[in-house]
Amino acid sequence: MEQEKSSKVSVLFMLFGTLFCVCLITANVLETKQLSFGPVNLTAGVIVFPVSYIINDVVCEVWGYQRTRMLIWMGFAMNFFFVLMGAIADWIPGADYWDGDAGFHVIFGLAPRIALASFIAFILGSFTNAYVMSRMKLSSQGKNFSARAVLSTVFGESVDSIIFFPLALGGVIPWEEMPSLMISQVTLKTLYEILVLPVTIRIVEFTKRHDHEDVFDRDINYNIFNILKI
C-alpha cells in the first residue's frame, strides 16, 4: 500500500508544475520591456514572475523541499529550451517578404543575455525561497504560513534581483537606475505576495486536503543538485 501511494502522480502537482513553467517563460519575454510608473521604473516581468514564487511556496508547503527542487529544475529546463529555440529562430534569416524581423530581434536578440542572467538568478533565488520556507516550517512546527510565505519571498526575490539586473540589463539601462529598479522589484513583488496571500492560503489548504499531504523536511539533503530525490 505504501509503495502504491509513493508512485501516485498528483494531478495538482502537475498543474502547478505546468503553470510554473509557463510563468517563467512568459517572464523572460516580458523582461525585455521597461515600464515607468511615475518615479518607479520596472520591467514588465513583474506582472507574472511573482506567481512563480507563490507556486514555489505552495509546493514547498504541501509536498516539501525535495518536490520543490524537482519543480525548480523542471522550470529551468523548460525555460532553457524555449530560449534556445527563440535564439535559433532569431539567427535564421527571415523571408524577404517578412517585415517583422526588427521586432522579433528586439525580443529574442536580447534573450541569450537575459536568459543567462535569468537562469542564474532564478536558480539561486528560487532555492533560497524554498530553503527559507522549508526551514521556517520546521522551526515553527508548521505554524505562521503567512509569515513564512512573505519572508521567503523577500529573501528569494532579493537574491534574484541582485543577480539578475546587473547581469541582464547592465549597460542597457543607466547604472544609477539599477538600485532603485532592484528595490522597486523586490518591494512590489513582495506586496504582490501579501495582496494575494488570502488566495494562496486557500490554495494551500485545498491542496493539503485533496492530496492528503503536509510534508515536514526532517533529515533531508538540501543539495540543489540531488534532482531525482523526491
Side-chain angles (χ1 to χ4, degrees):
M1 188 68 180
E2 186 66 30
Q3 184 178 1
E4 180 182 347
K5 180 180 179 181
S6 64
S7 63
K8 179 183 176 182
V9 176
S10 168
V11 173
L12 288 178
F13 181 78
M14 291 175 60
L15 291 174
F16 283 129
T18 302
L19 180 58
F20 187 75
C21 293
V22 170
C23 287
L24 296 179
I25 291 170
T26 304
N28 252 0
V29 176
L30 297 184
E31 291 286 1
T32 59
K33 181 173 182 177
Q34 307 295 309
L35 307 176
S36 292
F37 295 95
V40 179
N41 297 319
L42 303 165
T43 63
V46 75
I47 298 172
V48 67
F49 191 74
V51 178
S52 68
Y53 272 75
I54 294 170
I55 296 172
N56 189 317
D57 288 343
V58 172
V59 172
C60 196
E61 173 68 17
V62 177
W63 291 286
Y65 178 87
Q66 294 183 127
R67 283 286 185 92
T68 309
R69 174 172 52 202
M70 186 180 70
L71 181 75
I72 292 170
W73 282 115
M74 181 175 66
F76 176 92
M78 297 303 101
N79 205 7
F80 178 82
F81 178 78
F82 169 80
V83 170
L84 179 62
M85 293 301 102
I88 292 173
D90 182 54
W91 174 74
I92 298 172
D96 293 337
Y97 58 82
W98 188 59
D99 60 359
D101 189 66
F104 191 89
H105 182 73
V106 168
I107 303 298
F108 293 100
L110 192 60
R113 178 184 177 183
I114 288 180
L116 177 62
S118 176
F119 290 154
I120 297 172
F122 163 71
I123 288 295
L124 296 180
S126 295
F127 277 113
T128 298
N129 182 88
Y131 178 80
V132 172
M133 190 75 179
S134 173
R135 299 305 299 176
M136 287 186 69
K137 182 175 182 179
L138 281 176
S139 63
S140 67
Q141 298 180 351
K143 300 176 182 177
N144 304 319
F145 171 77
S146 298
R148 290 187 279 114
V150 172
L151 286 174
S152 63
T153 296
V154 171
F155 280 100
E157 292 286 6
S158 296
V159 170
D160 185 283
S161 295
I162 288 170
I163 294 171
F164 176 78
F165 287 103
L167 290 180
L169 300 174
V172 177
I173 64 173
W175 284 103
E176 58 270 20
E177 295 290 335
M178 200 72 71
S180 63
L181 185 60
M182 289 189 287
I183 292 171
S184 298
Q185 289 274 336
V186 174
T187 302
L188 286 178
K189 289 176 180 179
T190 303
L191 288 175
Y192 191 124
E193 171 93 47
I194 293 171
L195 287 174
V196 302
L197 197 53
V199 177
T200 306
I201 291 171
R202 283 164 175 77
I203 292 173
V204 167
E205 292 173 346
F206 171 79
T207 305
K208 285 181 178 180
R209 288 195 307 269
H210 184 275
D211 274 24
H212 306 290
E213 294 276 10
D214 189 6
V215 173
F216 285 76
D217 295 317
R218 298 185 177 93
D219 302 320
I220 69 164
N221 185 349
Y222 282 98
N223 184 345
I224 68 172
F225 298 108
N226 198 9
I227 303 173
L228 298 180
K229 180 65 176 177
I230 59 173

